[in-house]
Structure formats: C-alpha cells, structure tokens
Amino acid sequence: MGDNMISQLTYKEYLAVTVPFMLSTATQPLLGAVNTAIMGHMSEAFYIAAVSLGVILFNNIYWLFGFLRVSTTSFSAQALGEACEERRFLALFRPLIIAIVISILFIIIYPFIFSYYAEFMQPQAQVIELMRRYCDIVIWGAPFVLLNYVMLGWLMGQMIIRYTMFMQISMNVVNIILSFAFVFMLKMDIEGVAYASLVAQIYGCIVGFVAIYFRGKLKLSPQYVAQLKKIKPFLSMMKVNTDLMLRTICLLTINNLFAMAGSSLGTTTLAANAVILEIIFILVYFIDGMANGVSIFAGKALGTKDKQLLSRTLQIGLRCLAVFIAAGLIVVYLSRSYLISIMTNLPEVSLYADDYSIFLVIHPICAGVGLLLYGIYTGIGQTASIRNMMFIAVIFFYICQNILMGYFGNYGIWMTYSLTYLLESAILVLFLPQLKRKF
C-alpha cells in the first residue's frame, strides 16, 4: 500500500485488505458451529445446551476484553500512518502487559464467575455438570486468548495481512481437527472439545509471536522499554478503552437476556436458538472482518489527517457490504435445512430450529450497517458514540423483549434481537457527522 492509496482508495486496494480479514474472522464462528455440531451428534440435547452455555460464558468474558484487539488495531494503524517507530513498539507492548494482568485476575476469580453464571442461567442439573467439565478446562486458555487479541490487533494495524490471516485460520483449523479427533476417535466426550480449544489457543499464541518477530521488524531500544515503566499512559489507554468495555457489557447484557429467555422456554428451545445463532454468526463475522479492514483505513486516514480517505472508505465499504449481504443471504436461506442438519441430528431440535430460519435472513439485514460503521468509529477512536448507542440499545431490548415475548413466545425473542440491531445501525448512521470533528 503506497502513498497513492491515500485519498484515492480503489475497490481493488480495499478488497485486498478486507477479503483476507473477512475469511480469517469468519473461521471464528465456524469453530463454534463445529463444536455445536459435534455436541449436536451426541446422544442428548444436554450436550448442545452445555457447550452453548459454556461458549456464551467465555465469549462474554473475552468480548468484554475485546477492546484489546480493537484498540490495538487502531493505535497500530495510527502509528503506521505516522511512521513512528516508538509508537509502533508501544502500541504492541502496552496492551500485551494489560492482557497478562487481566488474564491472571480472570483465572483467580473464575470459580465465583462460574457459580454465579450457573445460578443466573438456571439450566437443568445435567447441563450444569457438563458445562462445568467443559469450562474447567477452557479457563486455562484465557492468557493465550487475550495475548492473541493483542497480537492480531497489532498485525492488522500494521497491514501484515498474510500472517494475520494464517494465524486466525490455522488456529481454528487446528481446533476443528482436534475436536473431531478427541471426541470421535479418542472418545473424550465434552472434555475433547475443551482440550481442542485450549491446544489451539496455545498454538495461535506461538504463531503470533513468530509473525511479529519475523515480519513486525520492531526496533528495541532502552528508551522504548523505559516508556513501559510509566503508569500514566496505561491509565489513559484504559480510559480510552472504557467506552469499548461499556459497549461490550451492553452487548453481553443483550446476549444474556436473549439466552435466558430461550432457556426459560426449555432445553429444546435453548438448543434450537443456539443452532440458528451459530449460522447467523458465520455471516455476521464475515461482516465483522469487513469492519476490521474498514477500521484500518479509518485509522490511517486519522494518522495522515486525510478526510477524503475516510469518506472514500465509507462509500466503498457500504457498497461492498450491500453486495455481500445480498449474495450471502441467498446462499444461507436456500441451504438452511442442510445447514441445520449439519448442526444437529436430533429431530426435535432441527424441526424447532427450522421454524425460526427466517431470522437467518432478517438479522444480518438489520445488523449489517451497524457492524460496518463500528469499524469506522473504532478506527478513528470515536468510541463515545458507540457507548451511547449501546446504552440506548439495552434499554430498548429489555422493554421490547418483555412485550413481544408475552405475545409471540420465541418469535418475540428473535424479533427483539433483530430490531435491536436495526436500532443500533440507525443510531450510528445518525452519529456520522460527529466523525469529522476528529479531523
């Protein structure tokens, strides 16, 4: 990416960055889908429910600290735009230190978190026992997950595309292969899925360090290391990240209210909703990958103070999003019965899931624009708008779900979920004029 990219961004240059991110990001829900599918072929629906609740618990925690990747990408892209070696170094090592501290604290308080979560969700006793067996293993992956977030964010911001893609895809492929091997060949049951995740996270961490060592070309100097001893920059970094953390808390509140509502309608409903949600996540994560690419161009635009590049990024991003959603929804909807059958062979779960397959189309249409704009806002550090949008969304979700669930049952839960994302998209569109103030 040379200087000609600045202001005059082309579709080819945009796609060269965003397509690899889309492919690599989309492997993440594919992993969740495979784990759900493996458990969906066990003898009871308890297995799907246990893994889906376990995955929600860890996604809750990891999403809470997802700012480590998002903000690291933003700082790294801005340092690249400024061509500042010291900022490149600090954009990696400050969040690495934060990630290590957070993961140690998380492991210490995990037993309390698990107990509270099981009591809060109130699944059946068999589901709690299976979930405990899964979570007690997966917890040890926490340091590797958070370090991976930071390394991925930094590599993305530096536009080291191939290694970013290899790191994400290979980590998830390793996880999928090991899940199959541990569960079906070694008969390790639900523990097999958990150990597969742990090994893959350790593998991803090793790949990340190798990529940074050989491709990052970081310059080490005593002056840079001395900067890491100063507490104030860490505090200001955490302050910047507070908005993203509050946004995530709101997102998790919505996801937990959604899961709780499904759980209250029984194990079959919880399992069927998990199946539909996993398929939706595959499309949503493709869009999230697109947002990652958009975030980098927005960060570079801020680093070079180029407002025209920001406008061009937004224009190209929205057009490519429209084409992707149209094509993706046709494929997903036509193959919905096949996708559900891959996820589970339990007739009661698959039949129930099929009743709600229309949301495979409705939800991505509602969520798409908001997910893409999230990349623009985080790229230039306009995180207050995202925080405010999520506060409104949580209030809307709570009120809307209580009303619609009473009238429409599980349909009401899904209608609320999709309408909330539509509201988020609308609010971020309304906040767009505020972005210019950053320039």
Side-chain angles (χ1 to χ4, degrees):
M1 298 291 157
D3 292 336
N4 67 317
M5 186 196 78
I6 296 175
S7 295
Q8 291 303 313
L9 178 66
T10 66
Y11 282 92
K12 187 179 176 184
E13 287 163 338
Y14 172 82
L15 293 171
V17 172
T18 54
V19 170
F21 283 146
M22 288 170 73
L23 293 173
S24 56
T25 307
T27 58
Q28 190 60 43
L30 185 63
L31 171 62
V34 167
N35 284 348
T36 303
I38 289 171
M39 292 298 104
H41 288 79
M42 302 298 275
S43 55
E44 299 280 351
F46 294 131
Y47 283 93
I48 301 186
V51 167
S52 72
L53 286 176
V55 167
I56 288 169
L57 171 61
F58 281 94
N59 280 350
N60 283 355
I61 304 297
Y62 295 147
W63 284 354
L64 194 58
F65 302 113
F67 66 75
L68 286 167
R69 186 194 63 72
V70 176
S71 63
T72 303
T73 301
S74 178
F75 291 131
S76 177
Q78 288 170 35
L80 183 67
E82 290 178 16
C84 176
E85 279 303 319
E86 183 175 351
R87 281 201 65 184
R88 284 178 73 239
F89 175 88
L90 295 173
L92 174 65
F93 281 92
R94 276 187 185 136
L96 278 179
I97 291 168
I98 292 170
I100 291 165
V101 172
I102 289 171
S103 57
I104 291 168
L105 291 173
F106 177 34
I107 288 170
I108 291 168
I109 63 170
Y110 159 74
F112 306 102
I113 293 172
F114 183 89
S115 300
Y116 173 76
Y117 180 69
E119 202 174 307
F120 183 71
M121 299 303 281
Q122 295 185 325
Q124 290 169 275
Q126 296 98 315
V127 174
I128 292 178
E129 182 51 37
L130 286 169
M131 187 171 71
R132 184 186 301 281
R133 284 161 53 188
Y134 173 83
C135 292
D136 285 355
I137 296 163
V138 174
I139 178 63
W140 297 104
F144 305 103
V145 171
L146 298 187
L147 291 174
N148 286 341
Y149 279 180
V150 172
M151 290 187 285
L152 267 175
W154 191 85
L155 289 165
M156 283 177 176
Q158 295 295 306
M159 288 196 179
I160 301 173
I161 311 295
R162 273 190 208 157
Y163 277 87
T164 307
M165 197 174 168
F166 176 77
M167 182 179 170
Q168 281 189 285
I169 293 175
S170 66
M171 181 166 68
N172 291 320
V173 168
V174 165
N175 199 334
I176 288 165
I177 291 169
L178 290 178
S179 290
F180 273 102
F182 290 170
V183 175
F184 295 122
M185 292 164 69
L186 299 179
K187 309 292 183 194
M188 288 171 69
D189 208 60
I190 201 165
E191 285 88 350
V193 173
Y195 277 116
S197 295
L198 178 59
V199 173
Q201 286 153 1
I202 295 168
Y203 162 83
C205 205
I206 294 166
V207 172
F209 277 117
V210 169
I212 287 167
Y213 183 79
F214 286 107
R215 288 286 288 117
K217 293 181 178 144
L218 276 175
K219 289 182 178 144
L220 293 172
S221 85
Q223 180 193 339
Y224 299 170
V225 176
Q227 291 293 325
L228 294 174
K229 295 173 185 173
K230 294 180 179 175
I231 301 296
K232 199 174 176 184
F234 283 99
L235 296 176
S236 58
M237 186 177 267
M238 289 303 289
K239 191 178 176 185
V240 168
N241 287 323
T242 302
D243 289 336
L244 292 177
M245 200 167 177
L246 288 170
R247 178 254 180 189
T248 310
I249 290 169
C250 293
L251 191 64
L252 298 179
T253 303
I254 289 171
N255 284 346
N256 281 328
L257 288 170
F258 176 84
M260 261 179 70
S263 186
S264 72
L265 296 176
T267 301
T268 303
T269 304
L270 178 65
N273 284 356
V275 166
I276 293 292
L277 209 53
E278 289 294 355
I279 299 169
I280 285 173
F281 278 168
I282 293 170
L283 271 178
V284 164
Y285 270 72
F286 269 116
I287 300 169
D288 194 46
M290 200 180 280
N292 288 339
V294 163
S295 171
I296 289 162
F297 289 115
K300 280 202 84 169
L302 183 65
T304 54
K305 297 286 181 246
D306 189 343
K307 201 185 288 186
Q308 195 183 338
L309 174 59
L310 183 73
S311 300
R312 184 76 177 142
T313 300
L314 185 59
Q315 180 187 43
I316 291 177
L318 287 171
R319 286 175 183 169
C320 291
L321 174 71
V323 172
F324 172 76
I325 285 182
L329 292 185
I330 290 167
V331 172
V332 166
Y333 193 69
L334 291 177
S335 58
R336 65 192 184 282
S337 297
Y338 176 67
L339 290 169
I340 290 168
S341 70
I342 291 173
M343 300 292 285
T344 180
N345 61 356
L346 298 169
E348 71 274 18
V349 176
S350 57
L351 283 170
Y352 200 80
D354 200 53
D355 290 341
Y356 300 93
S357 59
I358 188 63
F359 289 97
L360 294 173
V361 173
I362 293 171
H363 187 79
I365 291 172
C366 293
V369 172
L371 290 166
L372 186 82
L373 290 180
Y374 174 70
I376 295 273
Y377 282 85
T378 54
I380 66 168
Q382 183 68 26
T383 50
S385 299
I386 294 167
R387 176 201 65 204
N388 296 341
M389 171 269 290
M390 286 307 300
F391 284 154
I392 298 166
V394 168
I395 295 164
F396 174 83
F397 186 92
Y398 182 75
I399 294 168
C400 198
Q401 182 174 271
N402 283 340
I403 296 167
L404 293 180
M405 193 178 163
Y407 285 107
F408 303 107
N410 199 37
Y411 274 106
I413 299 171
W414 277 104
M415 286 159 67
T416 304
Y417 194 63
S418 296
L419 285 171
T420 303
Y421 275 83
L422 182 63
L423 177 69
E424 290 174 20
S425 297
I427 292 169
L428 288 184
V429 169
L430 291 173
F431 284 161
L432 275 175
Q434 293 183 8
L435 294 184
K436 292 172 186 173
R437 293 178 195 166
K438 282 275 183 182
F439 290 78

